[in-house]
Amino acid sequence: MRSFLFVPGDSERKFAKAESTAADALVLDLEDAVAADRIDIARGMVREYLSSHRDRTRTQLWVRINPLSTEKALRDLAAIVGGAPDGILLPKTTSANDAILLDHYLSALEVREGIEAGSIRMLVVATETAEAMFTLGGFAGCSKRLWGMTWGAEDLSAAIGASTNRDENGELEFTFRLARSMCLLAAKAADVEPIDTVFTNFKDSEALFRESQAARRIGFTGKIAIHPDQVEPINRAFTASAEDIEYANRVIAAFAAGVGTVALDGKMLDMPHLKQARRVLAMAQARK
Ligand code: COA
Ligand code: MG
Protein backbone atom coordinates (compact mmCIF):
# COMPACT_ATOMS: atom_id res chain seq x y z
CA MET A 1 0.00 0.00 0.00
CA ARG A 2 1.95 2.95 -1.35
CA SER A 3 -0.59 5.70 -1.88
CA PHE A 4 -3.66 6.77 0.10
CA LEU A 5 -5.67 9.49 -1.67
CA PHE A 6 -7.90 11.68 0.49
CA VAL A 7 -11.26 12.41 -1.11
CA PRO A 8 -13.76 14.80 0.54
CA GLY A 9 -16.74 12.66 1.56
CA ASP A 10 -19.37 14.97 0.07
CA SER A 11 -18.03 15.44 -3.46
CA GLU A 12 -19.54 13.27 -6.19
CA ARG A 13 -17.18 14.88 -8.68
CA LYS A 14 -14.08 14.02 -6.65
CA PHE A 15 -15.24 10.44 -6.03
CA ALA A 16 -15.46 10.05 -9.81
CA LYS A 17 -12.10 11.70 -10.42
CA ALA A 18 -10.40 9.58 -7.74
CA GLU A 19 -11.39 6.43 -9.62
CA SER A 20 -9.24 7.45 -12.56
CA THR A 21 -6.08 7.47 -10.41
CA ALA A 22 -3.85 4.54 -9.53
CA ALA A 23 -4.16 5.13 -5.78
CA ASP A 24 -3.77 1.92 -3.78
CA ALA A 25 -6.45 3.23 -1.43
CA LEU A 26 -8.93 6.08 -1.29
CA VAL A 27 -9.63 7.66 2.07
CA LEU A 28 -13.19 8.97 1.95
CA ASP A 29 -13.12 11.84 4.40
CA LEU A 30 -15.79 12.66 6.97
CA GLU A 31 -13.54 14.92 9.05
CA ASP A 32 -11.91 18.23 8.11
CA ALA A 33 -12.67 18.19 4.39
CA VAL A 34 -16.42 18.20 5.12
CA ALA A 35 -18.24 21.35 6.31
CA ALA A 36 -20.18 20.89 9.57
CA ASP A 37 -23.59 21.28 7.93
CA ARG A 38 -22.78 18.66 5.25
CA ILE A 39 -21.84 15.80 7.55
CA ASP A 40 -25.12 13.88 7.16
CA ILE A 41 -24.98 14.19 3.39
CA ALA A 42 -21.36 13.03 3.41
CA ARG A 43 -22.12 10.01 5.62
CA GLY A 44 -24.86 8.95 3.22
CA MET A 45 -22.66 9.43 0.17
CA VAL A 46 -19.74 7.53 1.67
CA ARG A 47 -21.99 4.66 2.70
CA GLU A 48 -23.52 4.52 -0.78
CA TYR A 49 -20.10 4.62 -2.45
CA LEU A 50 -18.80 1.78 -0.27
CA SER A 51 -21.87 -0.34 -0.91
CA SER A 52 -21.68 0.14 -4.66
CA HIS A 53 -17.91 -0.61 -4.83
CA ARG A 54 -17.51 -4.04 -3.27
CA ASP A 55 -14.62 -5.16 -5.47
CA ARG A 56 -11.57 -3.76 -3.74
CA THR A 57 -8.88 -5.74 -5.54
CA ARG A 58 -7.46 -2.71 -7.33
CA THR A 59 -8.31 0.05 -4.88
CA GLN A 60 -9.05 -0.30 -1.19
CA LEU A 61 -11.63 2.00 0.36
CA TRP A 62 -10.87 3.52 3.75
CA VAL A 63 -12.83 6.14 5.67
CA ARG A 64 -11.49 8.93 7.87
CA ILE A 65 -13.97 9.41 10.70
CA ASN A 66 -14.05 12.25 13.21
CA PRO A 67 -11.91 12.05 16.39
CA LEU A 68 -13.22 9.78 19.13
CA SER A 69 -13.32 12.77 21.48
CA THR A 70 -16.26 14.14 19.46
CA GLU A 71 -19.79 12.79 19.40
CA LYS A 72 -19.57 12.61 15.62
CA ALA A 73 -17.24 9.60 15.63
CA LEU A 74 -19.71 6.91 16.63
CA ARG A 75 -22.36 8.34 14.29
CA ASP A 76 -19.84 8.24 11.45
CA LEU A 77 -19.15 4.58 12.17
CA ALA A 78 -22.81 3.66 12.58
CA ALA A 79 -23.49 5.21 9.18
CA ILE A 80 -20.67 3.64 7.18
CA VAL A 81 -19.59 0.29 8.63
CA GLY A 82 -22.39 -1.47 6.71
CA GLY A 83 -20.50 -0.60 3.51
CA ALA A 84 -17.61 -2.79 4.72
CA PRO A 85 -14.74 -0.31 4.46
CA ASP A 86 -11.28 -1.90 4.25
CA GLY A 87 -10.13 0.32 7.06
CA ILE A 88 -10.74 3.35 9.25
CA LEU A 89 -8.31 6.24 9.45
CA LEU A 90 -8.54 7.62 12.98
CA PRO A 91 -7.42 11.25 13.39
CA LYS A 92 -6.18 12.95 16.56
CA THR A 93 -5.40 9.70 18.35
CA THR A 94 -4.07 10.42 21.83
CA SER A 95 -2.91 6.93 22.81
CA ALA A 96 -3.39 3.23 22.19
CA ASN A 97 -6.56 3.50 24.30
CA ASP A 98 -8.21 5.22 21.33
CA ALA A 99 -7.25 2.31 19.06
CA ILE A 100 -8.69 -0.14 21.61
CA LEU A 101 -11.94 1.82 21.86
CA LEU A 102 -12.28 1.96 18.06
CA ASP A 103 -11.60 -1.79 17.91
CA HIS A 104 -14.53 -2.40 20.29
CA TYR A 105 -16.87 -0.13 18.33
CA LEU A 106 -15.94 -1.93 15.11
CA SER A 107 -16.41 -5.35 16.68
CA ALA A 108 -19.97 -4.47 17.71
CA LEU A 109 -20.85 -2.87 14.38
CA GLU A 110 -19.40 -5.73 12.33
CA VAL A 111 -21.76 -8.11 14.12
CA ARG A 112 -24.72 -5.79 13.61
CA GLU A 113 -23.95 -5.43 9.89
CA GLY A 114 -23.08 -9.07 9.28
CA ILE A 115 -19.51 -8.29 8.25
CA GLU A 116 -16.62 -10.65 8.89
CA ALA A 117 -15.37 -10.10 12.45
CA GLY A 118 -12.07 -8.24 12.62
CA SER A 119 -12.01 -7.46 8.90
CA ILE A 120 -11.92 -3.66 9.19
CA ARG A 121 -8.41 -2.40 9.81
CA MET A 122 -7.13 0.80 11.40
CA LEU A 123 -4.57 3.45 10.49
CA VAL A 124 -4.06 5.95 13.31
CA VAL A 125 -2.84 9.52 12.94
CA ALA A 126 -0.66 9.45 16.00
CA THR A 127 1.04 12.86 16.33
CA GLU A 128 -1.73 15.43 16.01
CA THR A 129 -1.72 16.61 19.63
CA ALA A 130 1.11 17.41 22.02
CA GLU A 131 0.09 14.69 24.48
CA ALA A 132 0.01 12.08 21.71
CA MET A 133 3.75 12.58 21.23
CA PHE A 134 4.31 11.13 24.70
CA THR A 135 2.25 7.96 24.26
CA LEU A 136 3.56 6.95 20.83
CA GLY A 137 5.53 3.98 22.12
CA GLY A 138 2.47 2.21 23.51
CA PHE A 139 0.74 0.80 20.42
CA ALA A 140 2.41 -2.62 20.26
CA GLY A 141 -0.19 -5.36 20.64
CA CYS A 142 -3.08 -2.95 21.33
CA SER A 143 -5.32 -4.36 18.57
CA LYS A 144 -5.04 -6.91 15.79
CA ARG A 145 -6.80 -4.40 13.56
CA LEU A 146 -3.97 -1.88 13.80
CA TRP A 147 -2.49 -1.89 10.31
CA GLY A 148 -0.43 1.29 10.32
CA MET A 149 0.50 4.59 11.89
CA THR A 150 0.82 7.97 10.26
CA TRP A 151 1.48 11.47 11.46
CA GLY A 152 0.27 14.99 10.84
CA ALA A 153 2.21 18.24 10.78
CA GLU A 154 -0.75 20.54 10.18
CA ASP A 155 -2.88 19.68 13.17
CA LEU A 156 0.17 19.44 15.43
CA SER A 157 1.09 23.01 14.42
CA ALA A 158 -2.37 24.19 15.38
CA ALA A 159 -2.27 22.21 18.62
CA ILE A 160 0.94 23.83 19.79
CA GLY A 161 0.32 27.32 18.44
CA ALA A 162 2.99 27.21 15.72
CA SER A 163 2.31 29.59 12.84
CA THR A 164 4.40 27.43 10.51
CA ASN A 165 5.96 23.97 10.48
CA ARG A 166 8.57 24.67 7.79
CA ASP A 167 11.62 26.96 7.76
CA GLU A 168 12.62 29.52 5.07
CA ASN A 169 14.02 26.69 2.92
CA GLY A 170 10.85 24.66 3.06
CA GLU A 171 12.35 22.06 5.41
CA LEU A 172 10.28 20.79 8.33
CA GLU A 173 11.18 22.47 11.61
CA PHE A 174 12.75 20.24 14.27
CA THR A 175 9.56 19.58 16.28
CA PHE A 176 7.86 18.21 13.17
CA ARG A 177 10.84 16.16 12.05
CA LEU A 178 10.80 14.72 15.56
CA ALA A 179 7.10 13.82 15.17
CA ARG A 180 7.87 12.16 11.84
CA SER A 181 10.75 10.08 13.20
CA MET A 182 8.86 9.16 16.34
CA CYS A 183 5.91 7.99 14.25
CA LEU A 184 8.24 5.86 12.12
CA LEU A 185 9.83 4.28 15.19
CA ALA A 186 6.48 3.82 16.94
CA ALA A 187 5.07 2.00 13.91
CA LYS A 188 8.11 -0.27 13.68
CA ALA A 189 7.94 -0.93 17.42
CA ALA A 190 4.29 -1.95 17.00
CA ASP A 191 5.16 -3.98 13.87
CA VAL A 192 2.74 -2.05 11.66
CA GLU A 193 3.18 0.08 8.52
CA PRO A 194 4.62 3.61 8.84
CA ILE A 195 2.84 5.92 6.38
CA ASP A 196 4.21 9.39 5.67
CA THR A 197 1.99 12.46 5.91
CA VAL A 198 0.62 14.79 3.22
CA PHE A 199 2.68 17.16 1.11
CA THR A 200 0.36 20.14 0.81
CA ASN A 201 1.93 21.92 -2.20
CA PHE A 202 0.13 19.76 -4.77
CA LYS A 203 1.47 21.74 -7.75
CA ASP A 204 5.07 20.68 -7.04
CA SER A 205 5.30 17.03 -8.16
CA GLU A 206 9.11 17.07 -8.24
CA ALA A 207 9.39 18.14 -4.60
CA LEU A 208 6.74 15.57 -3.66
CA PHE A 209 8.71 12.84 -5.43
CA ARG A 210 11.92 13.83 -3.61
CA GLU A 211 10.14 13.93 -0.25
CA SER A 212 8.55 10.53 -0.95
CA GLN A 213 11.89 9.00 -1.90
CA ALA A 214 13.47 10.39 1.25
CA ALA A 215 10.60 8.93 3.28
CA ARG A 216 11.06 5.52 1.69
CA ARG A 217 14.83 5.62 2.29
CA ILE A 218 14.29 6.02 6.04
CA GLY A 219 11.67 3.26 6.26
CA PHE A 220 8.22 4.64 5.47
CA THR A 221 6.26 2.30 3.19
CA GLY A 222 3.67 4.70 1.79
CA LYS A 223 2.40 8.25 1.78
CA ILE A 224 -0.86 10.16 1.86
CA ALA A 225 -2.00 12.20 -1.18
CA ILE A 226 -4.52 15.04 -1.26
CA HIS A 227 -4.73 15.59 -5.02
CA PRO A 228 -4.99 13.11 -7.95
CA ASP A 229 -1.72 14.44 -9.43
CA GLN A 230 0.13 13.29 -6.31
CA VAL A 231 -0.63 9.60 -6.75
CA GLU A 232 1.81 8.85 -9.56
CA PRO A 233 4.93 10.42 -7.95
CA ILE A 234 4.13 8.66 -4.66
CA ASN A 235 3.63 5.27 -6.33
CA ARG A 236 6.84 5.71 -8.29
CA ALA A 237 8.84 6.66 -5.19
CA PHE A 238 7.54 3.69 -3.20
CA THR A 239 8.08 1.10 -5.94
CA ALA A 240 11.47 -0.62 -6.16
CA SER A 241 13.22 0.57 -9.34
CA ALA A 242 15.08 -1.77 -11.71
CA GLU A 243 18.36 -0.55 -10.17
CA ASP A 244 17.08 -1.22 -6.63
CA ILE A 245 16.17 -4.78 -7.63
CA GLU A 246 19.47 -5.36 -9.42
CA TYR A 247 21.43 -4.13 -6.39
CA ALA A 248 19.34 -6.25 -4.00
CA ASN A 249 20.04 -9.32 -6.14
CA ARG A 250 23.77 -8.56 -6.07
CA VAL A 251 23.69 -8.21 -2.28
CA ILE A 252 21.94 -11.55 -1.92
CA ALA A 253 24.40 -13.18 -4.34
CA ALA A 254 27.30 -11.77 -2.31
CA PHE A 255 25.99 -13.49 0.81
CA ALA A 256 25.33 -16.78 -1.02
CA ALA A 257 28.48 -18.39 0.35
CA GLY A 258 26.97 -18.25 3.82
CA VAL A 259 29.41 -15.76 5.37
CA GLY A 260 28.25 -13.05 7.78
CA THR A 261 30.13 -10.08 6.33
CA VAL A 262 31.05 -9.36 2.71
CA ALA A 263 32.52 -6.56 0.62
CA LEU A 264 30.55 -5.14 -2.31
CA ASP A 265 31.58 -2.09 -4.38
CA GLY A 266 34.19 -1.26 -1.74
CA LYS A 267 31.72 -1.24 1.16
CA MET A 268 31.24 -3.60 4.08
CA LEU A 269 27.86 -5.32 4.16
CA ASP A 270 26.51 -7.43 7.00
CA MET A 271 23.20 -8.91 8.11
CA PRO A 272 21.13 -5.67 8.17
CA HIS A 273 22.03 -5.11 4.50
CA LEU A 274 20.98 -8.63 3.59
CA LYS A 275 17.71 -8.11 5.45
CA GLN A 276 17.10 -4.86 3.55
CA ALA A 277 17.87 -6.52 0.19
CA ARG A 278 15.33 -9.24 0.96
CA ARG A 279 12.79 -6.58 1.89
CA VAL A 280 13.29 -4.80 -1.46
CA LEU A 281 12.77 -8.05 -3.37
CA ALA A 282 9.72 -8.98 -1.29
CA MET A 283 8.25 -5.55 -2.00
CA ALA A 284 8.92 -5.92 -5.74
CA GLN A 285 7.42 -9.42 -5.71
CA ALA A 286 4.29 -8.21 -3.94
CA ARG A 287 3.62 -5.68 -6.71
CA LYS A 288 3.72 -8.26 -9.53
N1 COA B 1 -9.74 13.57 -4.91
C1 COA B 1 -10.38 13.44 -6.08
N2 COA B 1 -10.44 14.40 -7.01
C2 COA B 1 -9.80 15.54 -6.73
C3 COA B 1 -9.12 15.75 -5.53
C4 COA B 1 -9.10 14.70 -4.58
N3 COA B 1 -8.47 14.81 -3.42
N4 COA B 1 -8.56 16.97 -5.55
C5 COA B 1 -8.89 17.53 -6.71
N5 COA B 1 -9.65 16.67 -7.44
C6 COA B 1 -10.18 16.87 -8.78
C7 COA B 1 -10.92 18.18 -8.94
O1 COA B 1 -12.27 18.03 -8.60
C8 COA B 1 -10.72 18.44 -10.40
O2 COA B 1 -11.58 17.59 -11.13
P1 COA B 1 -12.54 18.17 -12.27
O3 COA B 1 -11.59 18.62 -13.34
O4 COA B 1 -13.40 17.01 -12.64
O5 COA B 1 -13.27 19.29 -11.62
C9 COA B 1 -9.33 17.92 -10.68
O6 COA B 1 -9.08 16.95 -9.67
C10 COA B 1 -8.26 18.97 -10.62
O7 COA B 1 -8.31 19.63 -9.39
P2 COA B 1 -7.67 21.08 -9.16
O8 COA B 1 -8.49 22.12 -9.86
O9 COA B 1 -6.23 21.01 -9.47
O10 COA B 1 -7.79 21.25 -7.60
P3 COA B 1 -9.01 21.89 -6.80
O11 COA B 1 -8.76 23.36 -6.65
O12 COA B 1 -10.31 21.46 -7.38
O13 COA B 1 -8.86 21.19 -5.38
C11 COA B 1 -8.07 20.83 -3.17
C12 COA B 1 -7.77 21.46 -4.54
C13 COA B 1 -6.84 20.95 -2.28
C14 COA B 1 -9.25 21.57 -2.55
C15 COA B 1 -8.41 19.35 -3.42
O14 COA B 1 -7.29 18.75 -3.99
C16 COA B 1 -8.90 18.57 -2.24
O15 COA B 1 -10.06 18.68 -1.88
N6 COA B 1 -8.04 17.72 -1.64
C17 COA B 1 -8.38 16.86 -0.57
C18 COA B 1 -8.49 17.64 0.69
C19 COA B 1 -8.71 16.73 1.85
O16 COA B 1 -9.36 15.70 1.77
N7 COA B 1 -8.12 17.11 2.97
C20 COA B 1 -8.20 16.33 4.15
C21 COA B 1 -6.95 15.58 4.41
S1 COA B 1 -5.59 16.59 4.86
MG1 MG C 1 -6.45 17.29 10.05
Side-chain angles (χ1 to χ4, degrees):
M1 299 280 282
R2 304 158 299 179
S3 50
F4 287 79
L5 173 61
F6 263 112
V7 189
D10 62 345
S11 171
E12 201 80 68
R13 195 177 182 118
K14 285 178 179 161
F15 283 7
K17 180 82 180 177
E19 282 180 28
S20 68
T21 73
D24 292 328
L26 304 183
V27 183
L28 310 175
D29 191 22
L30 293 176
E31 197 209 8
D32 293 345
V34 176
D37 62 347
R38 304 250 318 154
I39 186 71
D40 283 324
I41 294 170
R43 285 174 183 143
M45 286 176 63
V46 167
R47 167 61 199 259
E48 167 56 28
Y49 190 83
L50 290 168
S51 297
S52 58
H53 293 76
R54 292 290 178 157
D55 180 3
R56 314 282 172 72
T57 40
R58 196 178 80 91
T59 314
Q60 291 199 3
L61 298 178
W62 290 57
V63 178
R64 179 167 76 171
I65 62 166
N66 282 281
L68 291 176
S69 58
T70 69
E71 60 167 33
K72 286 180 183 168
L74 200 44
R75 294 179 190 284
D76 292 343
L77 290 169
I80 61 93
V81 163
D86 295 284
I88 299 296
L89 194 153
L90 185 64
K92 302 182 180 75
T93 307
T94 25
S95 74
N97 287 337
D98 287 344
I100 294 168
L101 179 58
L102 177 58
D103 183 326
H104 292 329
Y105 285 163
L106 290 171
S107 295
L109 290 167
E110 281 168 346
V111 171
R112 190 190 72 175
E113 302 292 342
I115 292 167
E116 187 188 338
S119 60
I120 303 176
R121 289 172 296 166
M122 309 189 299
L123 172 59
V124 296
V125 195
T127 69
E128 289 190 309
T129 66
E131 60 181 319
M133 290 295 299
F134 296 91
T135 62
L136 271 171
F139 283 81
C142 70
S143 163
K144 286 204 186 96
R145 297 179 190 275
L146 187 66
W147 175 86
M149 295 176 74
T150 185
W151 68 286
E154 311 308 323
D155 284 276
L156 182 58
S157 307
I160 65 177
S163 57
T164 178
N165 47 41
R166 298 199 179 248
D167 66 16
E168 315 78 61
N169 304 318
E171 300 300 326
L172 284 168
E173 289 283 2
F174 177 73
T175 305
F176 304 94
R177 292 207 305 277
L178 178 70
R180 181 171 183 246
S181 293
M182 293 291 286
C183 171
L184 172 67
L185 293 167
K188 296 288 174 179
D191 199 19
V192 298
E193 301 294 330
I195 302 298
D196 197 22
T197 196
V198 298
F199 182 74
T200 50
N201 183 358
F202 60 82
K203 301 264 185 219
D204 195 344
S205 294
E206 222 7 82
L208 167 65
F209 180 64
R210 282 198 305 275
E211 184 169 284
S212 304
Q213 273 190 315
R216 178 177 157 216
R217 275 200 298 271
I218 63 169
F220 283 98
T221 56
K223 190 170 173 71
I224 292 175
I226 49 157
H227 189 282
D229 292 351
Q230 293 191 314
V231 171
E232 190 280 329
I234 292 176
N235 283 352
R236 188 155 38 96
F238 285 97
T239 305
S241 67
E243 295 89 75
D244 296 334
I245 294 169
E246 198 242 359
Y247 181 72
N249 277 320
R250 288 176 58 220
V251 171
I252 287 167
F255 280 97
V259 286
T261 311
V262 297
L264 188 68
D265 303 340
K267 286 194 198 117
M268 183 212 72
L269 302 184
D270 57 6
M271 281 307 128
H273 301 97
L274 178 58
K275 207 169 149 189
Q276 181 57 21
R278 287 191 179 130
R279 184 174 289 152
V280 168
L281 292 186
M283 198 171 108
Q285 196 59 40
R287 294 240 64 84
K288 280 195 178 147

